[in-house]
Amino acid sequence: MATIKDIAREANVSISTVSRVLNNDDTLNVMEETRDRIIRIAEKLNYSPSKSRRKEGKKEEESLPSESVNIAILIWATKEEEINDPYFLSIRKGIEKRTGELGLEISKLIRVKNNFQDLNIEDKDGLIVVGNIDPEDIESVSQSTIPVVYINESPNPEKYDSVITDLEDATNKAMQHLFSLGHKRIGLITGQEYIQRFYDQDNKVTEEIRRKTFERMMQERDGYNPSDVYIGDWTTLSGYQLMKSAIEKGDLPTSFFVASDPMAIGAIRAIHEAGKRIPEDVAIVSIDDIDIAGFMNPPLTTVKIHSEQMGISAVDMLLGRIGGREVPLKVVTPTQLMIRE
């Protein structure tokens, strides 16, 4: 039986590209000629997605062959939000990269914010959840019959595998850098964190680690000022609007910790428009290290999150649970301060 690897070899493209084309990924930027070639080769080789060999109630002692496994992905973001926030797009690319390498089938992608109807995943071997989605809703969908791995959240580490990044450590690195440069008055631009619900439009507001860590570190230095904290959406536009508000209010802090690169990009635009200099008038440090961060003017100092690796690790962990591992694991990926201008 033909595999994704066979198609990739004949089409002279990556396994990940084949996987994304065959799964109709609208965010994939590939020439139409390449897309058509992949589909033609798949048809010529009589490729068909592999079905699960997992028997209900049967625990296997060894990991299943990867090509016998198909999984579902449940993600909090719409396609537009995912494109605008490269962090989550990078996580999904990591998932697709690893599944493509192993020949796994991503047979369903469910976006919680969309008006979806089909939540049936009973025929799937496993589920990867990306983002802060209510675990009660997850359990109602998975019905505890399939393994679940969470990315970016760890709602129940005694029950579910999870892959997270240490946002407290990332915030500490960003703040310590500003402290080392002599900044005493530091502002915060961040987004409001919610637990996404399936059916309830009133999503739960939850504690945001970056904001909590910022407040604690500033209070320890008797430098916390609530009027220097600006909270909006996790978007570039919101970062722009929040920084404009701070500038218009006057008496600007000498630096800002911005909780994500997309928000920092918007904040930098507002600073430039106001005729102020970075970092001479106001310094900016952020978290993510998305691709564009190093090409900003000036290049953005930020704390790197290994988001693609988070997706890769989640796939490997899911295979382990499908293969019979009973003890849940929690992987915490490290962060790295990228000092630029």
Side-chain angles (χ1 to χ4, degrees), residues 142-157:
S142 66
Q143 298 178 350
S144 301
T145 59
I146 64 173
V148 179
V149 177
Y150 286 84
I151 305 180
N152 203 55
E153 298 294 331
S154 183
N156 189 348

Side-chain angles (χ1 to χ4, degrees), residues 11 37 57 71 82 112 148 169 175 207 237 248 253 289 303:
R37 184 169 76 251
I71 64 176
E82 191 183 44
V112 176
V148 179
D169 179 64
M175 294 293 290
E207 189 174 64
L237 176 60
E248 290 168 359
D289 195 32
V303 181

Side-chain angles (χ1 to χ4, degrees), residues 123-262:
D123 61 333
K124 305 300 181 275
D125 294 292
L127 174 67
I128 296 178
V129 180
V130 183
N132 201 349
I133 302 173
D134 194 324
E136 293 182 5
D137 285 352
I138 302 298
E139 291 185 0
S140 71
V141 172
S142 66
Q143 298 178 350
S144 301
T145 59
I146 64 173
V148 179
V149 177
Y150 286 84
I151 305 180
N152 203 55
E153 298 294 331
S154 183
N156 189 348
E158 295 181 0
K159 183 175 182 180
Y160 298 112
D161 284 20
S162 60
V163 186
I164 64 171
T165 196
D166 192 339
L167 290 176
E168 181 177 0
D169 179 64
T171 303
N172 180 72
K173 287 174 179 173
M175 294 293 290
Q176 291 294 348
H177 177 65
L178 291 174
F179 292 144
S180 73
L181 296 175
H183 294 284
K184 293 182 173 59
R185 185 179 170 196
I186 303 172
L188 171 68
I189 289 179
T190 188
Q192 182 64 65
E193 191 76 358
Y194 296 95
I195 299 177
Q196 191 69 41
R197 304 296 304 274
F198 283 4
Y199 309 108
D200 187 352
Q201 296 302 314
D202 296 325
N203 296 319
K204 303 178 188 175
V205 175
T206 187
E207 189 174 64
E208 209 289 301
I209 296 174
R210 284 159 285 196
R211 178 183 173 186
K212 178 182 177 181
T213 305
F214 168 86
E215 291 176 351
R216 174 181 57 77
M217 295 183 72
M218 292 299 289
Q219 288 167 353
E220 289 173 352
R221 290 165 174 77
D222 295 323
Y224 179 66
N225 184 350
S227 65
D228 289 337
V229 175
Y230 298 84
I231 304 172
D233 300 322
W234 295 97
T235 64
T236 300
L237 176 60
S238 183
Y240 171 78
Q241 293 170 335
L242 294 173
M243 182 57 80
K244 276 184 66 74
S245 297
I247 294 170
E248 290 168 359
K249 189 166 65 175
D251 191 25
L252 204 65
T254 62
S255 62
F256 275 85
F257 166 56
V258 185
S260 75
D261 284 359

